[in-house]
Amino acid sequence: MYSSAQEAVEQKVRALEAEKVVAWAIVDGRCKDALAVAREVRDGELVSKVRRDCTQAPWENDAMAAGHLHEPGPTKALAADREADWRRQPAADVVQFFYPSDAQRKKIGGMVIVRCRINEAGVPHDCQIASETPDDLGFGEAALKLAPLFELNPKIANGRAVESTVRIPITFKMPD
């Protein structure tokens, strides 16, 4: 059992780790990752810093900036029909940040398959855990926090972006 002093130290270490991950994410233009980490530690000042310092196009408009459809209606022709595919995955430091602390202490890795709906802009939503190994260390919860950070090119059917379902594999492993 942990004492409140140990918990306070772990919380401070996590906050410092968050600041480091956020700083690198901002430098790399990974604003969505930076915002997710700042929100995870519930640090209002860090969230404000991300919103102030990020130079990437607003993450809410990433799909539009990438040239994907946002609205139905007349559009220019798109590429041939295809399934949804990857545009961007969260960086390794962000995945590591969300690693369940109990599993990290025990040096145990995990694998989660998350099933998500992907909208016409390639944004995951309505995500659920399809499988989780091992299933009792918090990997599923961590994967659900990471799922919104994945960005995909939407499925194209009949020349239009359409909603679809994808399976996102997320592996948690201890750094070498």
Side-chain angles (χ1 to χ4, degrees), residues 78-147:
L78 294 175
D81 289 359
R82 62 172 168 74
E83 293 300 315
D85 60 359
W86 297 109
R87 183 172 13 161
R88 179 188 173 281
Q89 299 177 24
D93 61 339
V94 174
V95 174
Q96 192 64 32
F97 182 81
F98 284 93
Y99 206 111
S101 59
D102 193 33
Q104 205 166 26
R105 274 192 293 277
K106 294 176 181 178
K107 299 187 185 305
I108 296 174
M111 171 69 175
V112 180
I113 305 282
V114 178
R115 186 177 43 250
C116 297
R117 297 290 298 159
I118 303 299
N119 69 16
E120 296 86 352
V123 177
H125 63 94
D126 297 332
C127 298
Q128 301 174 348
I129 300 167
S131 67
E132 174 183 6
T133 307
D135 63 0
D136 60 347
L137 291 174
F139 289 111
E141 183 181 324
L144 288 175
K145 290 177 181 177
L146 284 164

Side-chain angles (χ1 to χ4, degrees), residues 1-3 6-7:
M1 183 165 233
Y2 291 105
S3 70
Q6 283 176 305
E7 289 173 358

Side-chain angles (χ1 to χ4, degrees), residues 64 68-76 78 120-121 159-162:
M64 186 176 284
H68 298 291
L69 295 178
H70 254 305
E71 304 171 357
T75 62
K76 56 185 177 184
L78 294 175
E120 296 86 352
R160 301 180 70 79
V162 296

